[in-house]
Amino acid sequence: NAGVTQTPKFRVLKTGQSMTLLCAQDMNHEYMYWYRQDPGMGLRLIHYSVGEGTTAKGEVPDGYNVSRLKKQNFLLGLESAAPSQTSVYFCASSYPRTSGRARETQYFGPGTRLLVL
Amino acid sequence: GENVEQHPSTLSVQEGDSAVIKCTYSDSASNYFPWYKQELGKRPQLIIDIRSNVGEKKDQRIAVTLNKTAKHFSLHITETQPEDSAVYFCAPYRAGRGSTLGRLYFGRGTQLTVWP
């Protein structure tokens, strides 16, 4: 049981390049989230998903797109990277519906450190 | 949305002392109150949580207290150890409304340093 995993761990991009961050979870969670963490800012929600094929915007969605084609995967895309997107990105998941556990408790992946030059 | 404030932003204590971090929130619809610990370069990890129908919860050296009327909850760490050094985040959960999903709102974090 790997929990929540993220790929890649670290990436350097040039301004204007694109990339996709992959999040995978093996806990059969319904909900998945993408956050970014900047110094002194806590974690801010970018996008989230309440199920396969559904996504919604969080508080800082501009410049990002997401997709959830499979329940266990949640992808975060940057179409044209900007230096302001330099950050650490965390994926999280929650709500194992069939286990009866609470939906509020989120489990985080190890993070992806992104540097945009 | 929810307005979350954490105090202090930094806290230094001597090993063995107690540490208290306070989190205030604005939305009375919040009904779940977790604390996350994040060590340097690691992921946030849930260390303790409390629901709105409970006033206090303890787990060994850590405890969380909730004052729903005043809209604040606090993390208490007793007999601190150097391995408690980390950034601690509160993240009150505001229940969903209509089509809006319930979600966590993270504070900006408190850097706790425990000196041996």
Side-chain angles (χ1 to χ4, degrees), chain A:
Chain A
N1 190 336
V4 182
T5 58
Q6 291 182 232
T7 309
K9 289 184 170 57
F10 177 69
R11 184 78 184 267
V12 178
L13 288 180
K14 293 181 179 179
T15 297
Q17 287 185 318
S18 63
M19 77 164 294
T20 300
L21 283 68
L22 171 65
C23 176
Q25 53 93 5
D26 61 1
M27 297 178 282
N28 200 32
H29 283 171
E30 302 294 325
Y31 300 167
M32 297 186 74
Y33 314 81
W34 276 107
Y35 294 89
R36 61 177 287 172
Q37 184 175 35
D38 303 294
M41 294 296 293
L43 285 87
R44 293 183 291 170
L45 184 64
I46 305 172
H47 285 280
Y48 62 91
S49 169
V50 299
E52 188 176 319
T54 69
T55 63
K57 294 179 180 180
E59 58 191 296
V60 286
D62 294 343
Y64 306 96
N65 56 74
V66 288
S67 65
R68 192 159 178 210
L69 300 179
K70 294 182 179 180
K71 184 177 181 179
Q72 63 268 34
N73 295 337
F74 195 26
L75 279 63
L76 178 71
L78 285 73
E79 291 185 347
S80 180
S84 60
Q85 294 177 304
T86 293
S87 188
V88 180
Y89 292 86
F90 285 100
C91 174
S93 68
S94 69
Y95 195 29
R97 188 192 302 264
T98 55
S99 77
R101 292 190 177 179
R103 68 182 68 191
E104 301 92 344
T105 304
Q106 294 185 15
Y107 298 88
F108 285 82
T112 294
R113 189 173 297 273
L114 176 65
L115 175 61
V116 183
L117 301 175

Side-chain angles (χ1 to χ4, degrees), chain A residues 4 31 33 35 37 40-43 45 48 50 58-59 90 102-110 113, chain B residues 31-32 36 38 41-46 49 51 89 93 99-109:
Chain A
V4 182
Y31 300 167
Y33 314 81
Y35 294 89
Q37 184 175 35
M41 294 296 293
L43 285 87
L45 184 64
Y48 62 91
V50 299
E59 58 191 296
F90 285 100
R103 68 182 68 191
E104 301 92 344
T105 304
Q106 294 185 15
Y107 298 88
F108 285 82
R113 189 173 297 273
Chain B
N31 58 5
Y32 169 71
Y36 283 83
Q38 186 178 28
K42 300 288 182 63
R43 75 189 79 190
Q45 292 196 303
L46 178 71
D49 56 11
R51 297 196 177 273
F89 293 97
Y93 178 92
S99 60
T100 304
L101 178 72
R103 55 160 289 193
L104 297 174
Y105 287 84
F106 282 83
R108 296 194 172 197

